[in-house]
Amino acid sequence: MKVINDLSEREYYCVQILKALGEEKRFLILKNLRLRECYAHELADAFKISRAALEKHVRILIQSDLVEKRFLLEEGRAKTVLKVTAFAKDILRDIDSIVSKTVKVEEKRFDELKSQLTEITTQINSLKLTLQKLYDRYSRREIEEKLYRELRSKYEKELTTLLKKAEKIRKRVTHRTLQSLGNKKASY
């Protein structure tokens, strides 16, 4: 197998941008700056981080051509104003598109899981009914004990397998539901 060991200059640049966006606080800074220009101290206060910590994030965003800063002189003091670059706006639009597609894929997977759960639940109910009918036939002496035990064992194994499968799917559906409820607050 051929191994790629080097990045082109453009690929390296992309990696730096992805690193800059990959840190949650920086991404949130960018999202806020997308809405409007801000003074640096406003962002530091809003995120409850020190100005030094904000400056570190901003430096990385500037190095990645995602944020610009300029200085204003107000009341004899220099204030730093931050804003997103046109490039960052394009990147954020692309991210919005990816998020939208991801949501659609997740919704489709979620619907498939619910469908699987419905199918398995139907199979479980059918097996329970079959076991009950089997017991009824055995209790009326319509089938022999040996056959009854063999069939019961077979159906109980199938039922156990289906119950385990249903439980796994239920956990995934519950997890996905809780995730979506938690994420309703954080919209793009």
Side-chain angles (χ1 to χ4, degrees), residues 58-102:
V58 168
R59 187 176 352 115
I60 292 167
L61 291 168
I62 289 171
Q63 289 169 348
S64 301
D65 296 324
L66 298 170
V67 168
E68 297 173 344
K69 75 177 173 179
R70 60 187 168 87
F71 299 97
L72 289 179
L73 195 59
E74 272 186 19
E75 300 170 9
R77 297 178 63 192
K79 294 196 175 189
T80 306
V81 179
L82 303 169
K83 73 176 207 169
V84 293
T85 62
F87 174 64
K89 289 177 183 176
D90 290 342
I91 295 279
L92 289 169
R93 259 192 304 278
D94 291 343
I95 290 171
D96 289 344
S97 175
I98 291 168
V99 168
S100 176
K101 289 175 186 171
T102 303

Side-chain angles (χ1 to χ4, degrees), residues 107-167:
E107 287 172 353
K108 184 178 176 186
R109 285 185 190 153
F110 186 59
D111 289 342
E112 288 170 0
L113 282 175
K114 291 192 299 186
S115 178
Q116 286 176 9
L117 189 57
T118 301
E119 274 182 44
I120 290 173
T121 302
T122 301
Q123 292 173 349
I124 287 170
N125 291 335
S126 176
L127 267 174
K128 286 179 178 179
L129 186 61
T130 300
L131 277 165
Q132 182 60 47
K133 287 179 181 180
L134 182 66
Y135 176 76
D136 291 345
R137 288 184 65 201
Y138 170 70
S139 63
R140 289 191 307 262
R141 305 278 185 231
E142 293 176 8
I143 57 172
E144 295 178 20
E145 184 174 346
K146 182 179 177 184
L147 179 60
Y148 166 72
R149 288 182 187 277
E150 286 173 10
L151 290 173
R152 187 183 79 188
S153 176
K154 175 186 167 191
Y155 293 144
E156 285 176 345
K157 283 179 186 174
E158 285 180 40
L159 184 60
T160 301
T161 301
L162 286 173
L163 287 169
K164 286 179 183 176
K165 198 172 185 181
E167 185 56 30

Side-chain angles (χ1 to χ4, degrees), residues 43-54:
L43 284 173
D45 294 346
F47 286 111
K48 296 178 176 51
I49 59 175
S50 69
R51 296 203 179 159
L54 177 72

